[in-house]
Every structure is written in structure tokens, then in C-alpha cells.
Amino acid sequence: MSHLSSLNTYFETKREEHLEELKQFLRIPSISALSDHKEDMKTAAEWLAESMKSVGLENVSIDETKGHPVVYADWMHAEGKPTLLIYGHYDVQPVDPLNLWESEPFNPQVRDNKLFARGASDDKGQVYMHVKAVEALLQTEGKLPVNVKFCIEGEEEIGSPNLPEYVEANTEKLAADIIVISDTGMQGPGKPAVCYGLRGLTGVQIEVKGAKGDLHSGLYGGSVQNAIHALVAVLDSFRDEEGTIQVEGFYDNVRAVTDEERAAYAALDFNEEALKEELGVNALFGEKGYTHLERTWVRPTLEINGVFGGFSGEGIKTVLPAEAGAKITCRLVPDQDPDEIVEKLKAHIEKHKPVGVTVEVTEFDKGKPFITPFDHPAIQAAGRSYEKVYNVPTAYVRGGGSIPIVAAFDEILGYPVVLMGFGLASENFHAPNEHFHLENFDQGLRVIGDYYHEIAQFTSQDLKK
């Protein structure tokens, strides 16, 4: 009997048992952002640790940090085989507004083959799948085809403030060949996807100051600089009419998209007309020569996220505002460096600052972009495992957003990162009525089990970047 046949039989037999165990995990209100739930965070870590022990994982520990603990476990008996480091998180988002939930957020309910609960999709359900895949392989084969280590944190939903320090202090403990993360989504129902890159992020706040206070426009208008006009001049200088960023040197280190990648994106047959209808816009906008997917996956951006200043109440107030400001963020792609981009932004702002005002620039948090090569064996192996179970071609995609800890893993440990998720964009993670489609829970268990076998075919040397 093939390993997939054995896994099918095992998961079919254990399906209700596994679902009930997952519900236990989901009942724990492990909200990392709220201090009232500190004990719940501890309870969730302990529940996860006990679950890991029960399936046969070893060296299970609850490692303290300056915040919520990290749960570690491993199984290291596949001599000569690669080691996978499985990352995920057991913390969840707050549940507000509670009145919009159709059932209690921490009382899991199954409706229409969907499991409704906070954390069902992000990320308890997906973490739990890796634990149960280990159980299934140990029960059906008596061993794992690869070595595995688990690093499951409790602070992802608050930006993982303490995980980089933990990783740096435990590089030997976390030594592996690849990192596998199931905290992302598929392209759609029945459409699996492997994400091999994410954009980075940086941003600044611009504060323009003119006169020492707001001035009467009848007395000073036309003779004293208006802070909002000055701000608009700076903001307008950032991009041309086609959306191409005009900051000197901004594109210098942008890694070009390969022909193979463009072909893979084209094969997805993305419907831009349907997107326009969905968004309620009459046209898409961006750099010429790039599709929507390319603009949002492989090209950098500069966006104005908010503008403030002056009078915005009812009626008219005839003043020259003395202060105005804006928040700017940039999505970055390999090989752009967030610190370098901030310096280029500052130089551009200083160059285009109108007379009569001063400008102060405040930096925001930064995250580096990350990419594992499209043709990397671990990426392609994930695609094969999806295809065996879902019986459709796997999409190879980049994410337009940012997961700072992924870039931190890439920078600190230097291992290839494989993002193979099983969620759907429609599953309301971070919103009321979060849920997880159970067909992806069922099929995902099999994909993960098969993936461990796929990786076992390679040597550690094969998996180096």
C-alpha cells in the first residue's frame, strides 16, 4: 500500500477524533494582544505541547520569551535525511465586534462543512494539521521519512516582537534545511498555491510645518506658504501620471521577474475585468508593461495611506494651515533594502520641499522582502504534493503583502522558506465568523504527509539555496 493510501485510510478513520481535538484547541481564547488573556496564552501553549507529546514528538518544551512562550518539539531519527523546521503560531486576533459573530468565537461550530471559530484558519487549524501529519506517519509507518522540528510562537498577531531574539539565541536548536509555514492561502476553492516570495515593507510619516500658527487667508493668503499646498507638492512628486515612482534610485536594486515566472502568472488566467467589477472601479492603475498580478507581486510600490491637516469640519474656515502631514508606505521586492529606501525617501522629500516650510520625517517599522527561488526543489516538491491530492496544477505565486518574521527567518537562519497554506481569502481571518473549509483540512493533512515523503528524496545539499 502506498503512503498516500495509508494516510487516506488513517485520516478517514480518525477524522471525527481529530476534529474534536482541534475544537479543544480552538476553545482556548489565546488572544496575544490583550493582557487579560495572558493565562489563556499559557494554557494554549501547554495544550499544544501535550498534543505534540501525545503524537510521538520529542524534546517538547515551552520556551519562555520576554512575552508569550514558544513551543518547541522535534523528531530527529531519519538519519541522513533533511530536516524541516515547521513554523506557526497559536495566538489569535481579538474577536471584536462580538455582535457580528453568528456563533460564539471560542465555541467551535461546524456549518456547511466549515469550522467556525477564532483561529480556525489563522493559524491553529493549519498548525494542528502538521502535528496530526506527524501522528499519521508514525502510526502507519512507524517512523518519519524526514527529521522535523516545530517552532510555534504566541506573538505572531502582535508582530512577533520577541521571536527574532529567540531565533538568534537558538540557531543550533533550530538548525534545519528548509522552513515550512502553513499560514497562507490557496488561490481559491480547489486551487492550491505555493507562495515563494513576499514583499517587504517600510514607511515614513511626513510632517510639514509653516507659520507658528494657522493664519487668516484674507490677511496672509498669497504671501505665506500654506502647509497643505507644500505637502501636496511633495506628495505629487513621488509618482508620475502612470504610477512610476520618481524617487531617485528607488528601482536600482529591484530584481527583475523571470520569463518562467511571468509564464506561470499568465497561466493562472487572472480575470482583470472581473476584478474591476468586484472593486467597483472603471480601470486598474499602475506601471505600464505589467499585469495586475505582476504589479502586486513583483513590483515595488509607494502609497499615500493617509493625509491630515487643516480644517475638515462642516462649512468653510478661511485659514492657511500651519501644519499638515501624511503617512507613506512602500512595498518592497528583492533585493531592495528598507533602510536604503528610507534614506532615498528622505533625500527626495528634502529635494522637493517647497520654500517657507520645514519638513520632519519619522520612520516606521521595516520588514525585508523575501524570496525562495521559483525552481527550488522544496518549492517544486510542494507543488507535486498538492497536485497528487487536489488533482489540479499547483499555482506558484508571490504574496503582495508582508510577513516580517518570514524575512527575519530568511535573514537569521538563511534557509529556504516554503509557504504552503490551506486557507481561503474568504475565511474571515481577523474578522467576525472566521472559519476553515474542512475539505482543505482533510486534503491538507494528506498533502503535508506526502510532502514529508517528497522532501525525503533530497539531500541537505540539494536543498541549499
Side-chain angles (χ1 to χ4, degrees), residues 141-156:
E141 301 175 22
K143 60 182 180 179
L144 300 183
V146 292
N147 302 295
V148 298
K149 297 180 178 181
F150 282 77
C151 175
I152 312 300
E153 70 157 321
E155 298 185 323
E156 194 275 344

Side-chain angles (χ1 to χ4, degrees), residues 145-172:
V146 292
N147 302 295
V148 298
K149 297 180 178 181
F150 282 77
C151 175
I152 312 300
E153 70 157 321
E155 298 185 323
E156 194 275 344
E157 299 293 7
I158 55 173
S160 303
N162 295 298
L163 191 61
E165 181 178 342
Y166 172 84
V167 173
E168 288 181 341
N170 291 277
T171 54
E172 186 173 341

